[in-house]
């Protein structure tokens, strides 16, 4: 991010995180530790690189199911999600557009998971 800031001067960094960063799933501990660290780095970099570079994150929930999962997996996820449906790639791109277009937002992580983390 520093190199990006040095090269472009003004801009916006969007880090891709995961809705599970608030959890401690031992099965995915290395992956989640990396995502949790990226979340904290997002906030730190937002302070360091302001006012010329805005830094935000998107933490998607279940958008695309892993290829080794069946329809019952998706139904279980839907049942645990307050909005009762999965997201889509379009959901993430609309969130990206919001962050790019909204010039008074930095250091934020937008969770896009239909309420799953609740």
């Amino acid at each position: 991010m520093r190199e990006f800031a040095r090269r472009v001067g003004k801009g916006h960094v969007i880090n891709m995180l995961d809705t599970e960063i608030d959890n401690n799933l031992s099965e995915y501990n290395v992956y989640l530790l990396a995502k949790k660290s990226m979340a904290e780095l997002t906030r730190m970099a937002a302070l360091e690189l302001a006012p010329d570079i805005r830094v935000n994150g998107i933490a998607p929930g279940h958008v695309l199911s892993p290829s080794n999962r069946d329809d019952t997996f998706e139904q279980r996820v839907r049942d645990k999600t307050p909005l009762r449906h999965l997201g889509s790639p379009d959901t993430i791109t609309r969130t990206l557009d919001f962050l790019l277009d909204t010039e008074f937002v930095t250091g934020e992580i937008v969770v896009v998971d239909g309420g799953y983390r609740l």
Side-chain angles (χ1 to χ4, degrees):
M1 286 184 275
R2 282 183 182 150
E3 183 63 18
F4 173 77
R6 186 186 71 72
R7 286 182 185 225
V8 302
K10 282 185 89 67
H12 195 173
V13 172
I14 308 244
N15 293 318
M16 294 306 293
L17 305 168
D18 190 306
T19 191
E20 296 287 356
I21 59 175
D22 293 330
N23 296 319
N24 295 309
L25 304 171
S26 61
E27 178 179 0
Y28 304 105
N29 58 2
V30 173
Y31 168 80
L32 284 176
L33 181 58
K35 293 297 184 174
K36 289 171 184 256
S37 297
M38 181 60 74
E40 194 57 35
L41 180 60
T42 297
R43 292 184 278 270
M44 293 168 69
L47 279 173
E48 178 183 338
L49 301 176
D52 296 322
I53 304 290
R54 293 187 300 122
V55 183
N56 290 294
I58 299 174
H62 295 278
V63 173
L64 300 173
S65 292
S67 60
N68 63 344
R69 302 296 181 136
D70 60 15
D71 291 340
T72 60
F73 170 79
E74 285 191 1
Q75 189 57 51
R76 285 194 312 274
V77 171
R78 281 188 195 92
D79 291 345
K80 291 180 183 178
T81 303
L83 293 182
R84 297 290 188 258
H85 62 87
L86 302 180
S88 69
D90 185 58
T91 308
I92 304 307
T93 58
R94 284 186 283 143
T95 304
L96 176 63
D97 288 341
F98 163 78
L99 288 172
L100 292 173
D101 292 340
T102 308
E103 295 180 6
F104 200 56
V105 177
T106 194
E108 294 301 321
I109 296 167
V110 180
V111 178
V112 185
D113 71 352
Y116 183 84
R117 78 193 174 291
L118 301 174

